Amino acid sequence: MHWASLSEEPCQRRRSLQKGLSLSEAIRVESLSKRYGKLIAVDGISFSVQAGEVVGFLGPNGAGKSTTLKILAGLLEAEAGRVALFGQSVAENPRIASAHIGLMLENNPLPGKLRVGEYLRFRARMKGVASESVYQHVEKIMRYCDLYHKARHRRITSLSKGFRQRVGVAEALLGSPQIVILDEPTIGLDPHQVLLFRQLIEAFRSHYTFVISSHILSEIEAICDRILILHQGRLVADGNIVQLRREFAPEATLVLQLSGDARSLQAFEQRYPQWNYRRLKADLLADTQQMAIDFKDCLEERRAVWEAIFSYRDWKVLGLEEKRATLEDIFLAATRRHWDEKSLKG
């Protein structure tokens, strides 16, 4: 994919923001709550997003993600709490959401009978792009999203899932919003299309603030600066991957590939009984044994493990691989902790 070079428009727009708006904080949510009858969808959550951040928004089905995103975008009213965009209250000034936010909803509902170009021009006019600038603006966005040559004249109903998702992202970028909210943008995409989406986010990383909801945790881990995890309407985790790993899954696994017989490995285990050991598959032909050591990821423990490995001389180290908790591990640990805490209170 060849991304068109970014214009100066987003940067100029940022510099010309109304005086008095905070340029460091794009979103502030304070004690936000929303009910649907007796169901508590969002339960007093608070967080902030800095301008230019790419934030992942995670949670099981029914955790309150889509409800929160719709409140941010001004599509739903909160029961309690406050949402501010660049320092301005959405409740007091509802138009602030449409002025600052570009939104792609889950499942990306699109009118199938329209052609891509005409649909995006229609949406650009609806978003207040000046009539004399619509064609140029839409062409630029289509080039950004790799739609101009491949899909601009095609009817939306004829597009693959990947191209329809690109149309949704293009629509969210129309009008050059400061904040782009993408709800499940990679749902139904194949690995190649997911890679293209990642490239798109990387191309715009320094020009927009992104809030991305997704069930594909590996993608969130790959592209996001920070991650928020919701569970049953509550915010149960907030931080970058290093901070979340330290809080919810600090254990690390060091996998060693060792050359030596089984008795040498057994002797090592007996000499250093303070760690947990797991025997892995052995290569009998090469007389190679594999062993995993589980240890807590802190400086003292790490130093002790390395000193033990390199001071023991009855075998040779052929390979070392450190495995840390994935975002999936962190997600499960964070939601399980909240479930356990709620069960104790209940």
Side-chain angles (χ1 to χ4, degrees), residues 32-36 39-42 45 57 62-73 75-78 183 230:
L32 190 69
S33 296
K34 177 68 177 178
R35 289 175 177 262
Y36 296 105
L39 175 65
I40 303 175
V42 181
I45 67 173
F57 212 54
K65 305 186 302 296
S66 293
T67 296
T68 301
L69 297 181
K70 288 177 181 178
I71 293 172
L72 291 181
L75 300 181
L76 285 176
E77 289 187 7
D183 195 1
L230 267 65

PDB file of all heavy atoms in Angstrom, residues 32-36 39-42 45 57 62-73 75-78 183 230:
ATOM      1  N   LEU A  32     -18.461   8.642  34.835  1.00  0.00           N
ATOM      2  CA  LEU A  32     -19.480   8.450  33.806  1.00  0.00           C
ATOM      3  C   LEU A  32     -20.328   7.216  34.112  1.00  0.00           C
ATOM      4  O   LEU A  32     -19.798   6.136  34.401  1.00  0.00           O
ATOM      5  CB  LEU A  32     -18.814   8.287  32.442  1.00  0.00           C
ATOM      6  CG  LEU A  32     -19.726   8.315  31.217  1.00  0.00           C
ATOM      7  CD1 LEU A  32     -20.300   9.710  31.025  1.00  0.00           C
ATOM      8  CD2 LEU A  32     -18.950   7.888  29.975  1.00  0.00           C
ATOM      9  N   SER A  33     -21.654   7.371  34.021  1.00  0.00           N
ATOM     10  CA  SER A  33     -22.582   6.269  34.277  1.00  0.00           C
ATOM     11  C   SER A  33     -23.709   6.278  33.261  1.00  0.00           C
ATOM     12  O   SER A  33     -24.145   7.335  32.801  1.00  0.00           O
ATOM     13  CB  SER A  33     -23.174   6.363  35.688  1.00  0.00           C
ATOM     14  OG  SER A  33     -22.172   6.228  36.674  1.00  0.00           O
ATOM     15  N   LYS A  34     -24.180   5.064  32.922  1.00  0.00           N
ATOM     16  CA  LYS A  34     -25.301   4.924  31.994  1.00  0.00           C
ATOM     17  C   LYS A  34     -26.028   3.617  32.281  1.00  0.00           C
ATOM     18  O   LYS A  34     -25.404   2.564  32.429  1.00  0.00           O
ATOM     19  CB  LYS A  34     -24.799   4.926  30.546  1.00  0.00           C
ATOM     20  CG  LYS A  34     -25.872   4.704  29.482  1.00  0.00           C
ATOM     21  CD  LYS A  34     -26.845   5.856  29.395  1.00  0.00           C
ATOM     22  CE  LYS A  34     -27.860   5.640  28.290  1.00  0.00           C
ATOM     23  NZ  LYS A  34     -28.844   6.719  28.204  1.00  0.00           N
ATOM     24  N   ARG A  35     -27.364   3.691  32.375  1.00  0.00           N
ATOM     25  CA  ARG A  35     -28.206   2.518  32.597  1.00  0.00           C
ATOM     26  C   ARG A  35     -29.129   2.298  31.415  1.00  0.00           C
ATOM     27  O   ARG A  35     -29.531   3.228  30.732  1.00  0.00           O
ATOM     28  CB  ARG A  35     -29.075   2.696  33.850  1.00  0.00           C
ATOM     29  CG  ARG A  35     -28.338   2.649  35.164  1.00  0.00           C
ATOM     30  CD  ARG A  35     -29.307   2.966  36.297  1.00  0.00           C
ATOM     31  NE  ARG A  35     -28.667   2.869  37.602  1.00  0.00           N
ATOM     32  CZ  ARG A  35     -28.743   1.805  38.390  1.00  0.00           C
ATOM     33  NH1 ARG A  35     -29.454   0.759  38.004  1.00  0.00           N
ATOM     34  NH2 ARG A  35     -28.130   1.784  39.554  1.00  0.00           N
ATOM     35  N   TYR A  36     -29.489   1.030  31.204  1.00  0.00           N
ATOM     36  CA  TYR A  36     -30.579   0.661  30.300  1.00  0.00           C
ATOM     37  C   TYR A  36     -31.588  -0.100  31.150  1.00  0.00           C
ATOM     38  O   TYR A  36     -31.444  -1.306  31.365  1.00  0.00           O
ATOM     39  CB  TYR A  36     -30.086  -0.208  29.144  1.00  0.00           C
ATOM     40  CG  TYR A  36     -29.106   0.484  28.225  1.00  0.00           C
ATOM     41  CD1 TYR A  36     -27.754   0.189  28.267  1.00  0.00           C
ATOM     42  CD2 TYR A  36     -29.541   1.441  27.306  1.00  0.00           C
ATOM     43  CE1 TYR A  36     -26.847   0.814  27.419  1.00  0.00           C
ATOM     44  CE2 TYR A  36     -28.643   2.076  26.462  1.00  0.00           C
ATOM     45  CZ  TYR A  36     -27.306   1.756  26.522  1.00  0.00           C
ATOM     46  OH  TYR A  36     -26.415   2.388  25.683  1.00  0.00           O
ATOM     47  N   LEU A  39     -30.273  -2.547  33.918  1.00  0.00           N
ATOM     48  CA  LEU A  39     -28.901  -2.922  33.551  1.00  0.00           C
ATOM     49  C   LEU A  39     -27.974  -1.714  33.641  1.00  0.00           C
ATOM     50  O   LEU A  39     -28.214  -0.684  33.025  1.00  0.00           O
ATOM     51  CB  LEU A  39     -28.877  -3.484  32.128  1.00  0.00           C
ATOM     52  CG  LEU A  39     -27.488  -3.803  31.562  1.00  0.00           C
ATOM     53  CD1 LEU A  39     -26.834  -4.937  32.341  1.00  0.00           C
ATOM     54  CD2 LEU A  39     -27.571  -4.136  30.080  1.00  0.00           C
ATOM     55  N   ILE A  40     -26.890  -1.861  34.418  1.00  0.00           N
ATOM     56  CA  ILE A  40     -25.866  -0.814  34.504  1.00  0.00           C
ATOM     57  C   ILE A  40     -24.836  -1.080  33.419  1.00  0.00           C
ATOM     58  O   ILE A  40     -24.036  -2.008  33.521  1.00  0.00           O
ATOM     59  CB  ILE A  40     -25.200  -0.798  35.890  1.00  0.00           C
ATOM     60  CG1 ILE A  40     -26.240  -0.601  36.988  1.00  0.00           C
ATOM     61  CG2 ILE A  40     -24.139   0.296  35.942  1.00  0.00           C
ATOM     62  CD1 ILE A  40     -25.662  -0.693  38.393  1.00  0.00           C
ATOM     63  N   ALA A  41     -24.865  -0.280  32.360  1.00  0.00           N
ATOM     64  CA  ALA A  41     -23.937  -0.480  31.244  1.00  0.00           C
ATOM     65  C   ALA A  41     -22.577   0.140  31.534  1.00  0.00           C
ATOM     66  O   ALA A  41     -21.539  -0.435  31.197  1.00  0.00           O
ATOM     67  CB  ALA A  41     -24.527   0.107  29.959  1.00  0.00           C
ATOM     68  N   VAL A  42     -22.583   1.330  32.129  1.00  0.00           N
ATOM     69  CA  VAL A  42     -21.344   2.039  32.485  1.00  0.00           C
ATOM     70  C   VAL A  42     -21.494   2.498  33.931  1.00  0.00           C
ATOM     71  O   VAL A  42     -22.492   3.133  34.278  1.00  0.00           O
ATOM     72  CB  VAL A  42     -21.088   3.242  31.556  1.00  0.00           C
ATOM     73  CG1 VAL A  42     -19.788   3.943  31.925  1.00  0.00           C
ATOM     74  CG2 VAL A  42     -21.056   2.801  30.097  1.00  0.00           C
ATOM     75  N   ILE A  45     -17.124   5.343  35.535  1.00  0.00           N
ATOM     76  CA  ILE A  45     -15.740   5.251  35.067  1.00  0.00           C
ATOM     77  C   ILE A  45     -15.135   6.638  34.854  1.00  0.00           C
ATOM     78  O   ILE A  45     -15.836   7.590  34.513  1.00  0.00           O
ATOM     79  CB  ILE A  45     -15.612   4.417  33.778  1.00  0.00           C
ATOM     80  CG1 ILE A  45     -16.296   5.105  32.592  1.00  0.00           C
ATOM     81  CG2 ILE A  45     -16.189   3.015  33.984  1.00  0.00           C
ATOM     82  CD1 ILE A  45     -16.064   4.403  31.264  1.00  0.00           C
ATOM     83  N   PHE A  57      -9.305   0.226  23.638  1.00  0.00           N
ATOM     84  CA  PHE A  57     -10.461   0.142  24.530  1.00  0.00           C
ATOM     85  C   PHE A  57     -10.946  -1.295  24.492  1.00  0.00           C
ATOM     86  O   PHE A  57     -11.509  -1.744  23.491  1.00  0.00           O
ATOM     87  CB  PHE A  57     -11.534   1.111  24.017  1.00  0.00           C
ATOM     88  CG  PHE A  57     -12.380   1.715  25.089  1.00  0.00           C
ATOM     89  CD1 PHE A  57     -11.813   2.370  26.163  1.00  0.00           C
ATOM     90  CD2 PHE A  57     -13.767   1.631  25.016  1.00  0.00           C
ATOM     91  CE1 PHE A  57     -12.603   2.938  27.143  1.00  0.00           C
ATOM     92  CE2 PHE A  57     -14.560   2.201  25.990  1.00  0.00           C
ATOM     93  CZ  PHE A  57     -13.983   2.857  27.060  1.00  0.00           C
ATOM     94  N   GLY A  62     -20.632  -6.739  26.314  1.00  0.00           N
ATOM     95  CA  GLY A  62     -21.477  -6.234  27.391  1.00  0.00           C
ATOM     96  C   GLY A  62     -20.729  -5.490  28.475  1.00  0.00           C
ATOM     97  O   GLY A  62     -21.304  -5.143  29.504  1.00  0.00           O
ATOM     98  N   ALA A  63     -19.429  -5.203  28.242  1.00  0.00           N
ATOM     99  CA  ALA A  63     -18.635  -4.515  29.274  1.00  0.00           C
ATOM    100  C   ALA A  63     -18.918  -3.022  29.338  1.00  0.00           C
ATOM    101  O   ALA A  63     -18.563  -2.365  30.310  1.00  0.00           O
ATOM    102  CB  ALA A  63     -17.147  -4.742  29.033  1.00  0.00           C
ATOM    103  N   GLY A  64     -19.535  -2.461  28.280  1.00  0.00           N
ATOM    104  CA  GLY A  64     -19.832  -1.029  28.260  1.00  0.00           C
ATOM    105  C   GLY A  64     -18.990  -0.237  27.297  1.00  0.00           C
ATOM    106  O   GLY A  64     -19.057   0.999  27.270  1.00  0.00           O
ATOM    107  N   LYS A  65     -18.215  -0.921  26.448  1.00  0.00           N
ATOM    108  CA  LYS A  65     -17.315  -0.214  25.527  1.00  0.00           C
ATOM    109  C   LYS A  65     -18.087   0.638  24.523  1.00  0.00           C
ATOM    110  O   LYS A  65     -17.840   1.845  24.397  1.00  0.00           O
ATOM    111  CB  LYS A  65     -16.437  -1.219  24.756  1.00  0.00           C
ATOM    112  CG  LYS A  65     -15.635  -2.173  25.601  1.00  0.00           C
ATOM    113  CD  LYS A  65     -14.698  -3.020  24.771  1.00  0.00           C
ATOM    114  CE  LYS A  65     -15.429  -3.823  23.704  1.00  0.00           C
ATOM    115  NZ  LYS A  65     -16.369  -4.814  24.255  1.00  0.00           N
ATOM    116  N   SER A  66     -18.996   0.010  23.792  1.00  0.00           N
ATOM    117  CA  SER A  66     -19.722   0.740  22.745  1.00  0.00           C
ATOM    118  C   SER A  66     -20.564   1.854  23.334  1.00  0.00           C
ATOM    119  O   SER A  66     -20.665   2.940  22.752  1.00  0.00           O
ATOM    120  CB  SER A  66     -20.604  -0.226  21.939  1.00  0.00           C
ATOM    121  OG  SER A  66     -19.804  -1.122  21.189  1.00  0.00           O
ATOM    122  N   THR A  67     -21.166   1.613  24.491  1.00  0.00           N
ATOM    123  CA  THR A  67     -21.955   2.661  25.149  1.00  0.00           C
ATOM    124  C   THR A  67     -21.083   3.857  25.487  1.00  0.00           C
ATOM    125  O   THR A  67     -21.452   5.012  25.231  1.00  0.00           O
ATOM    126  CB  THR A  67     -22.609   2.111  26.428  1.00  0.00           C
ATOM    127  OG1 THR A  67     -23.538   1.076  26.079  1.00  0.00           O
ATOM    128  CG2 THR A  67     -23.350   3.213  27.181  1.00  0.00           C
ATOM    129  N   THR A  68     -19.904   3.599  26.037  1.00  0.00           N
ATOM    130  CA  THR A  68     -18.992   4.692  26.391  1.00  0.00           C
ATOM    131  C   THR A  68     -18.569   5.472  25.154  1.00  0.00           C
ATOM    132  O   THR A  68     -18.560   6.715  25.153  1.00  0.00           O
ATOM    133  CB  THR A  68     -17.756   4.134  27.114  1.00  0.00           C
ATOM    134  OG1 THR A  68     -18.161   3.435  28.285  1.00  0.00           O
ATOM    135  CG2 THR A  68     -16.806   5.258  27.498  1.00  0.00           C
ATOM    136  N   LEU A  69     -18.233   4.764  24.086  1.00  0.00           N
ATOM    137  CA  LEU A  69     -17.793   5.431  22.861  1.00  0.00           C
ATOM    138  C   LEU A  69     -18.909   6.273  22.262  1.00  0.00           C
ATOM    139  O   LEU A  69     -18.666   7.373  21.747  1.00  0.00           O
ATOM    140  CB  LEU A  69     -17.294   4.402  21.855  1.00  0.00           C
ATOM    141  CG  LEU A  69     -16.061   3.591  22.273  1.00  0.00           C
ATOM    142  CD1 LEU A  69     -15.645   2.628  21.170  1.00  0.00           C
ATOM    143  CD2 LEU A  69     -14.902   4.509  22.642  1.00  0.00           C
ATOM    144  N   LYS A  70     -20.149   5.785  22.319  1.00  0.00           N
ATOM    145  CA  LYS A  70     -21.282   6.554  21.792  1.00  0.00           C
ATOM    146  C   LYS A  70     -21.546   7.804  22.630  1.00  0.00           C
ATOM    147  O   LYS A  70     -21.938   8.842  22.091  1.00  0.00           O
ATOM    148  CB  LYS A  70     -22.530   5.672  21.731  1.00  0.00           C
ATOM    149  CG  LYS A  70     -22.482   4.626  20.624  1.00  0.00           C
ATOM    150  CD  LYS A  70     -23.706   3.732  20.646  1.00  0.00           C
ATOM    151  CE  LYS A  70     -23.633   2.671  19.552  1.00  0.00           C
ATOM    152  NZ  LYS A  70     -24.799   1.755  19.589  1.00  0.00           N
ATOM    153  N   ILE A  71     -21.307   7.716  23.933  1.00  0.00           N
ATOM    154  CA  ILE A  71     -21.445   8.909  24.781  1.00  0.00           C
ATOM    155  C   ILE A  71     -20.364   9.924  24.429  1.00  0.00           C
ATOM    156  O   ILE A  71     -20.630  11.131  24.320  1.00  0.00           O
ATOM    157  CB  ILE A  71     -21.379   8.523  26.273  1.00  0.00           C
ATOM    158  CG1 ILE A  71     -22.612   7.693  26.659  1.00  0.00           C
ATOM    159  CG2 ILE A  71     -21.296   9.777  27.150  1.00  0.00           C
ATOM    160  CD1 ILE A  71     -22.543   7.117  28.057  1.00  0.00           C
ATOM    161  N   LEU A  72     -19.137   9.448  24.222  1.00  0.00           N
ATOM    162  CA  LEU A  72     -18.047  10.354  23.824  1.00  0.00           C
ATOM    163  C   LEU A  72     -18.379  11.067  22.523  1.00  0.00           C
ATOM    164  O   LEU A  72     -18.090  12.259  22.362  1.00  0.00           O
ATOM    165  CB  LEU A  72     -16.745   9.568  23.638  1.00  0.00           C
ATOM    166  CG  LEU A  72     -16.070   8.984  24.871  1.00  0.00           C
ATOM    167  CD1 LEU A  72     -14.784   8.272  24.476  1.00  0.00           C
ATOM    168  CD2 LEU A  72     -15.773  10.058  25.894  1.00  0.00           C
ATOM    169  N   ALA A  73     -19.003  10.335  21.600  1.00  0.00           N
ATOM    170  CA  ALA A  73     -19.299  10.896  20.275  1.00  0.00           C
ATOM    171  C   ALA A  73     -20.583  11.718  20.266  1.00  0.00           C
ATOM    172  O   ALA A  73     -20.957  12.251  19.220  1.00  0.00           O
ATOM    173  CB  ALA A  73     -19.403   9.771  19.251  1.00  0.00           C
ATOM    174  N   LEU A  75     -23.655  10.589  20.734  1.00  0.00           N
ATOM    175  CA  LEU A  75     -24.816   9.850  20.226  1.00  0.00           C
ATOM    176  C   LEU A  75     -25.742   9.395  21.347  1.00  0.00           C
ATOM    177  O   LEU A  75     -26.907   9.088  21.101  1.00  0.00           O
ATOM    178  CB  LEU A  75     -24.354   8.633  19.425  1.00  0.00           C
ATOM    179  CG  LEU A  75     -23.473   8.909  18.200  1.00  0.00           C
ATOM    180  CD1 LEU A  75     -23.123   7.607  17.497  1.00  0.00           C
ATOM    181  CD2 LEU A  75     -24.168   9.869  17.238  1.00  0.00           C
ATOM    182  N   LEU A  76     -25.223   9.318  22.566  1.00  0.00           N
ATOM    183  CA  LEU A  76     -26.012   8.947  23.737  1.00  0.00           C
ATOM    184  C   LEU A  76     -25.771   9.965  24.843  1.00  0.00           C
ATOM    185  O   LEU A  76     -24.693  10.563  24.915  1.00  0.00           O
ATOM    186  CB  LEU A  76     -25.620   7.559  24.254  1.00  0.00           C
ATOM    187  CG  LEU A  76     -26.082   6.320  23.483  1.00  0.00           C
ATOM    188  CD1 LEU A  76     -25.487   5.072  24.143  1.00  0.00           C
ATOM    189  CD2 LEU A  76     -27.589   6.229  23.437  1.00  0.00           C
ATOM    190  N   GLU A  77     -26.760  10.136  25.700  1.00  0.00           N
ATOM    191  CA  GLU A  77     -26.594  11.002  26.864  1.00  0.00           C
ATOM    192  C   GLU A  77     -26.258  10.145  28.080  1.00  0.00           C
ATOM    193  O   GLU A  77     -26.851   9.085  28.286  1.00  0.00           O
ATOM    194  CB  GLU A  77     -27.868  11.801  27.137  1.00  0.00           C
ATOM    195  CG  GLU A  77     -28.143  12.894  26.124  1.00  0.00           C
ATOM    196  CD  GLU A  77     -29.321  13.765  26.527  1.00  0.00           C
ATOM    197  OE1 GLU A  77     -29.821  13.583  27.653  1.00  0.00           O
ATOM    198  OE2 GLU A  77     -29.728  14.610  25.718  1.00  0.00           O
ATOM    199  N   ALA A  78     -25.318  10.609  28.869  1.00  0.00           N
ATOM    200  CA  ALA A  78     -24.967   9.906  30.104  1.00  0.00           C
ATOM    201  C   ALA A  78     -25.999  10.214  31.186  1.00  0.00           C
ATOM    202  O   ALA A  78     -26.634  11.272  31.171  1.00  0.00           O
ATOM    203  CB  ALA A  78     -23.583  10.321  30.568  1.00  0.00           C
ATOM    204  N   ASP A 183     -14.725   1.694  16.366  1.00  0.00           N
ATOM    205  CA  ASP A 183     -15.315   0.602  17.144  1.00  0.00           C
ATOM    206  C   ASP A 183     -15.248  -0.682  16.320  1.00  0.00           C
ATOM    207  O   ASP A 183     -15.948  -0.828  15.328  1.00  0.00           O
ATOM    208  CB  ASP A 183     -16.768   0.946  17.499  1.00  0.00           C
ATOM    209  CG  ASP A 183     -17.332   0.050  18.587  1.00  0.00           C
ATOM    210  OD1 ASP A 183     -16.594  -0.825  19.074  1.00  0.00           O
ATOM    211  OD2 ASP A 183     -18.511   0.221  18.952  1.00  0.00           O
ATOM    212  N   LEU A 230     -12.355  -2.551  30.298  1.00  0.00           N
ATOM    213  CA  LEU A 230     -13.627  -2.467  31.003  1.00  0.00           C
ATOM    214  C   LEU A 230     -14.144  -3.864  31.307  1.00  0.00           C
ATOM    215  O   LEU A 230     -13.944  -4.802  30.530  1.00  0.00           O
ATOM    216  CB  LEU A 230     -14.673  -1.725  30.167  1.00  0.00           C
ATOM    217  CG  LEU A 230     -14.815  -0.217  30.396  1.00  0.00           C
ATOM    218  CD1 LEU A 230     -13.538   0.495  29.963  1.00  0.00           C
ATOM    219  CD2 LEU A 230     -16.015   0.333  29.644  1.00  0.00           C
TER     220      LEU A 230
END
